[in-house]
Amino acid sequence: MVFYEEQGGKSHNLDFSSFPAPLAMQQWMAVLLAARCGARGGSKRLATAKRYHWMLHRFMVVLSEADRVPATPGELAPEHFQIFRDRYEDHPTSLRLHLQALRRLMRKREEMTDETLHDLLRTRLPAVTVTTQVMAYSDYEWQQIMTALRRDVRITRDRIRAGVILLARFREGELAPGSREEALGRMLDVFVTTGDLPRSESGALQDEVSRLGGAMAISGMLSLTRDESTAFAMLLSALTAENFGTVKTWLALHTRPDGGVTTQAVVLLEETKPRRGPDREHMVTALEDLPTSLRELAESEDTEPRLFHSPLRLYQLLLELTQTARRLSGETRAFISYSPKGPGVPGGAGRDMWNTEVHVKHWSQTRGFPSMRKAVAGGLPAVQVRRIRQSALELKQRPVAHSRETLRDYYLKRSRTVQEQSRSVVGKALREQVAKARTAMEVPVFTPDFIDRAAQDPEAAAAEAGLDPEVLKGLLAGEQDTVLTGCVDHLAGPDTPPGTPCTASFFACLGCENARALPRQLPVQIVVRDRLLATRPNSDPTTWRAKYQTATDRLEDILRHYTLPSASRPAPT
């Protein structure tokens, strides 16, 4: 069976004839892989197809050692899967991955018996300790990576624009004959016209090409290098929070929803995410022009300060810098490079230019970033495209090419930063509520010491209590007592119009800002507290808490201001 990769165009022959299995099983294995990796399947990458092929081969190698080798899919039995589990019981990580692959391939196959299929799907996958987790970059790490990416983009922009200007000046005849600039302009003119550079009859580049810097340097004046394409893709991934693998397949084709009649602020382009399945893999994404603040614009030293904050402007710059490579190669990709390869050999149009792990690793290490094993805390981070997207999603706090539930339960749930922020927010809210509850429970208590001070200096005591001296005098004289407390102003009740006597229940006094507790009221407060607690065993718990819990708690708070004889202290409840 030949597998053709949908995006890259690569092909590979997947041989099932070498499987140690009967012909019917070999053919069935091919059908399983075709269903999973075909046009209607969810796996479109060559590397994925190779992994499934290896997994099926390994499955049949293990079954070939069984006492009863299945000749057809219908002869597969639970015991065959148990043999496979036993083989990998000491390697839970491998077993988990293998069983997951078999489930994806076989879960909807009618050729298997219901008993066998049920056994495969019902088995609990072995638990595997997660040793690595995708964590967002810290602010310092994020700034270091973004600075390096922006530097590459800025250098690329300046170099290619300078090359375009040099070519235009050559064609206008503005360069001095015989100068190095004139020679470079002539080389660029040959390059953009033919896609190649001057060569001898043998096909070798002429010596002049070497004197001017070589083929790569000359073609690089009008084309991106592979590292620069990687930098553009990572920066766009950081600005949009899209997957790096999705961004790198963008085309140079887009549409404007305004029809081109207004100032361009957004473009729509198609993208593909094969893991979403055949019915949902094709999507439309919007690239917006997001201006920065006026302060950031004023402080920026770059001539295009909005470039590195606007996905639209960065995408437009990418199309500008790769237009020569697209014209020479005939490709429509946004990320593309082109270099002369010689007679009869097409230019390097970047058809096979993307190997995410290899190229991102090469870019990062040539820019001074360490590998995963050599990265140390506090130093430069290891560059990973998954961490870049995780960081971008945490910054945006909105779903990108997935649902809100996925953002919340998958990306943000695993985020250490979000967890810490959540704990901080929840803790702050809880502390505010506790403080509010304590404030509501507290009735200011005039202790015997305070009353003694009031007798000696009424005005100072009134200032300490925040009351008018006459009001304090009436409270101490008992002229403003209610059942449980004294009242600062019975004509300013919380639930009655101003100037009218308060009609609230005496229990409400315990939560009123006008209430003050004095020592002479202590016996009544103890009796009421005890009577409330005495009704508790004979009442419905929910009803008792709703009617009396708050009043009891507030009375307990008042009693804690006094030192009671042990016989009179509240019994524990």
Side-chain angles (χ1 to χ4, degrees), residues 161-183:
R161 284 181 175 176
V164 172
I165 293 174
L166 180 63
L167 176 61
R169 293 182 62 197
F170 170 79
R171 290 177 171 177
E172 293 293 332
E174 299 178 2
L175 303 178
S179 65
R180 177 180 174 82
E181 285 188 333
E182 191 269 342

Side-chain angles (χ1 to χ4, degrees), residues 491-509:
L491 299 179
D495 300 320
T496 54
T500 59
C502 179
T503 58
S505 165
F506 66 91
F507 278 143
C509 294

Side-chain angles (χ1 to χ4, degrees), residues 120-262:
L120 173 62
L121 299 179
R122 73 170 176 80
T123 304
R124 183 186 297 273
L125 293 175
V128 178
T129 303
V130 179
T131 57
T132 59
Q133 188 175 7
V134 180
M135 303 299 297
Y137 289 109
S138 66
D139 291 342
Y140 169 79
E141 294 171 336
W142 183 254
Q143 187 61 39
Q144 296 302 309
I145 296 174
M146 293 300 102
T147 298
L149 292 174
R150 290 164 180 162
R151 177 181 179 274
D152 272 17
V153 170
R154 186 180 293 109
I155 291 175
T156 305
R157 175 197 64 187
D158 296 342
R159 186 190 71 241
I160 295 181
R161 284 181 175 176
V164 172
I165 293 174
L166 180 63
L167 176 61
R169 293 182 62 197
F170 170 79
R171 290 177 171 177
E172 293 293 332
E174 299 178 2
L175 303 178
S179 65
R180 177 180 174 82
E181 285 188 333
E182 191 269 342
L184 272 175
R186 184 172 63 256
M187 287 293 177
L188 293 178
D189 186 56
V190 173
F191 175 66
V192 299
T193 303
T194 66
D196 202 357
L197 293 173
R199 297 178 182 273
S200 62
E201 293 182 359
S202 65
L205 292 170
Q206 296 181 2
D207 294 340
E208 187 180 12
V209 175
S210 299
R211 288 196 301 269
L212 293 174
M216 296 302 295
I218 295 174
S219 62
M221 296 181 69
L222 297 174
S223 178
L224 274 68
T225 65
R226 184 169 295 175
D227 278 350
E228 291 165 350
S229 294
T230 302
F232 261 99
M234 285 196 289
L235 187 53
L236 278 168
S237 177
L239 293 180
T240 62
E242 290 274 7
N243 278 319
F244 178 87
T246 300
V247 171
K248 71 184 185 182
T249 61
W250 282 353
L251 300 178
L253 307 174
H254 58 270
T255 184
R256 292 178 55 177
D258 63 351
V261 298
T262 62

